[in-house]
Amino acid sequence: MTTLLDVRDLVKTFGAGEAETRVLRGLNLTMTSGELAALLGPSGSGKSTLLTILGTLMHPTSGRHTMLGVDLTTASDHALTEFRNLHIGFVFQFHNLLPDFTALENVIFPTAVREGRETGSARSRGRELLVRMGLGERIQFPTANLSGGQKQRVAVARALMNRPDLVLADEPTGNLDRASALQVMDLIGEINRDEGTTFLISTHDEKIAAQCRRQIVVGDGLVTG
Amino acid sequence: MLYALKIATRYLTASKAQTALLVFGVAIGVFIFIFMSALIGGLAAFIMARTAGDLAHVVIQAEAVDPALLPRKSKGTVLLVQETSTRATAVLKDTPAFIPLIEALPGVIGTSQQINGSGFLTRGGQVTQVSIYGLEPGKESVIVDLAGYMVEGSATLGTGDVLLGKTLAEDMDLQLGQTVRLQSSSGIEALLSISGIYETGSGGPDRRQAYVGLATARTLFRMAQGVTRVEIKLEDLYAADALAPRIRALTGLDAKSWTEQAAQLLEALNAQAQTGYILKAFALLTIIIGVASALLLSTYRRRPEIGIMRAMGAGRWFVMVVFVSQGALIGLMGGLFGAAGGYGVLLAFPARETFGPGQSGLPIDITQGAYGLAIVLTTLGAIAASILPARAAARLDPVTAIGQ
Ligand SMILES: Nc1ncnc2c1ncn2[C@@H]1O[C@H](COP(=O)(O)OP(=O)(O)O)[C@@H](O)[C@H]1O
Ligand SMILES: [Mg+2]
């Protein structure tokens, strides 16, 4: 079991002076490759903030953030963009897809943006992933015409496109009905089992969390369990 | 780059009506630009042809000519101030020596030796003061295209012939072939037959000029040899400023470029061109403001998408190129449509060459539309306009942009 990521004494505050909010207060977390982990905690506990920092979309106020042995705490925007593209996949709750593009175009975006064009091999991997997500009939669909559950499955396929080491999902099922939510979670579990991709999924739904092998609970800006 | 262009294109085609409207707006700006270029260019060419076209491009003038004097026939007082006679210096004598030298200069189309002065044209009881132009036979149309202006008769000046303007002929009720009496300011009279009537379209020449042969002028002004003026026509009228000093150096005579005399005309043309530039600059500015505001709205509307792209590994540069490309594409399309539309509309105007004096409408010159320049400037302007919104988009914090 190799260490995938490690954060030490992570502090994140927003605002300053009177309006200062301390969201993370010295949080520590280590994850190993191949984990399927749920990130639990009440609304406002800092789940999204933690995922955003782990996803290199935001710098912590203080603390250390390493992943794959790389110190990301002080890396430049350019270096982080490249790191993110190669090693991290995202699934968000809302506004996940580019609405003016087809399902396939959305899925292959992470590869195309790196290679500067949409290659044939990227397209065939994108198709494979969509088929795997049960969207074989929706490959050329404009994403605007997809249902909520279908959109989230496209987002999962896109998160997997560049064979990332870590997929961060921020309440990926928060917007879905129970059946769609379970379908998405089943697919995530399948990918985790078959490919060994590490997942960290935030949720405040105990049933969703129960599908993960590890539960990380945040509260008061710390990991509490 | 190619991929950013694909995304830019998709963004533009995703909201077709909005893009079409924007391109249409840009095209109108381009149309104004082109229309102004063609109009200002056409107007300049028209004014140039109307005024400077008949102008001698370089002139060598003998220094002074006697003032007109009407010999007293009736009662009354004629008050006259006569300056010291400059007769001696008012003649260019050694023309046979320098004319061939001038004509051999590159860019010189032709020369016209003239004896000019003033006098009075009389028929019956009518008297009109006229400027008399003595021209070399066979070279009547070297400077002023007399042959082209003839409405009756021909522009050849034999001995005893005179050419008169249409207005003058009408005023004095003169007909082709009639005999008139021309009296010079030197007091010498000649009986001449009207061999042609011309119409240049401008008042002065049509009302107050009489063209005679050089031999007739010699008699009228008592000038056995030499001429009072040499006019030179060039291929390119703008070469006059460079050529006049060369002629001065070559002949030792005071050769003057037309621009010295026509400073006002040049000033007017200049002012007109400046007005054109200002209008064109405003057209461009409108395009830039339009494109900038449209793209600013677009980057605002697509904030979440920009955040998603950044999260998926799109760099700032990529986002920048996506939005700058949209600006470039809008500029290019607007430029092309505007140029095509402009050309189409200008085609409906009569050709510049056929546009004559007194004709209603505008002297548009379709060849001076500056189509390429309009397209290039519009595209560059649209690119410039998109840089600020694109930069703002590229600098968006992905987290706030996604707005989770
Ligand atoms: N950009 C921000 N500016 C100010 N406060 C913020 C910002 N982002 C998050 N917060 C605050 O941080 C706290 C944690 O937010 P978040 O990480 O979204 O929690 P969760 O995802 O667990 O609901 C909340 O109180 C929220 O108001
Ligand atoms: Mg959240």
Side-chain angles (χ1 to χ4, degrees), chain B residues 14-40:
Chain B
S15 37
K16 286 196 182 65
Q18 199 184 332
T19 304
L21 215 60
L22 189 56
V23 168
F24 183 66
V26 172
I28 287 181
V30 172
F31 173 78
I32 292 171
F33 186 99
I34 284 172
F35 191 84
M36 284 317 297
S37 299
L39 178 59
I40 299 286

Side-chain angles (χ1 to χ4, degrees), chain A residues 47-48 170-171:
Chain A
K47 302 184 295 293
S48 295
D170 195 357
E171 310 211 27

Side-chain angles (χ1 to χ4, degrees), chain A residues 52 57-58 77 81 84-85 88 90 92-102 105 108-110 112-113 116-118 158 170, chain B residues 1-4 6-8 10-11 14 302 304-316 318 397-399 402-404:
Chain A
T52 312
L57 289 171
M58 184 162 73
D77 180 83
T81 300
R84 197 154 65 224
N85 181 265
I88 300 172
F90 288 94
F92 300 102
Q93 184 176 357
F94 309 108
H95 303 307
N96 237 321
L97 304 176
L98 307 176
D100 299 315
F101 293 79
T102 65
E105 284 170 330
I108 66 177
F109 183 93
V113 80
R117 63 201 187 90
E118 294 174 321
R158 184 184 55 188
D170 195 357
Chain B
M1 238 2 208
L2 212 65
Y3 190 52
K6 172 185 170 152
I7 295 193
R10 183 66 56 86
Y11 277 179
R302 296 197 183 273
E305 289 172 61
I306 294 165
I308 294 290
M309 287 197 277
R310 295 280 283 122
M312 297 304 136
R316 287 191 171 141
F318 182 84
D397 170 34
V399 181
I402 296 167
Q404 291 277 315

Side-chain angles (χ1 to χ4, degrees), chain A residues 14-15 21 23 41-50 170-171 218, chain B residues 400 404:
Chain A
F14 291 108
T21 342
V23 179
S43 188
S45 57
K47 302 184 295 293
S48 295
T49 304
L50 178 61
D170 195 357
E171 310 211 27
V218 289
Chain B
T400 42
Q404 291 277 315

Side-chain angles (χ1 to χ4, degrees), chain A residues 106-177:
Chain A
N106 265 281
V107 171
I108 66 177
F109 183 93
T111 305
V113 80
R114 188 179 70 231
E115 293 179 342
R117 63 201 187 90
E118 294 174 321
T119 59
S121 65
R123 274 200 202 90
S124 62
R125 170 158 175 83
R127 269 194 209 96
E128 252 168 57
L129 283 166
L130 281 169
V131 169
R132 182 128 195 219
M133 294 295 138
L135 293 168
E137 310 285 301
R138 297 285 181 270
I139 287 171
Q140 304 292 355
F141 248 56
T143 49
N145 297 354
L146 296 175
S147 74
Q150 288 170 338
K151 278 182 191 164
Q152 287 310 68
R153 282 184 278 150
V154 173
V156 173
R158 184 184 55 188
L160 297 170
M161 182 65 196
N162 280 351
R163 297 186 170 82
D165 299 279
L166 173 67
V167 173
L168 301 166
D170 195 357
E171 310 211 27
T173 59
N175 231 13
L176 304 181
D177 58 66

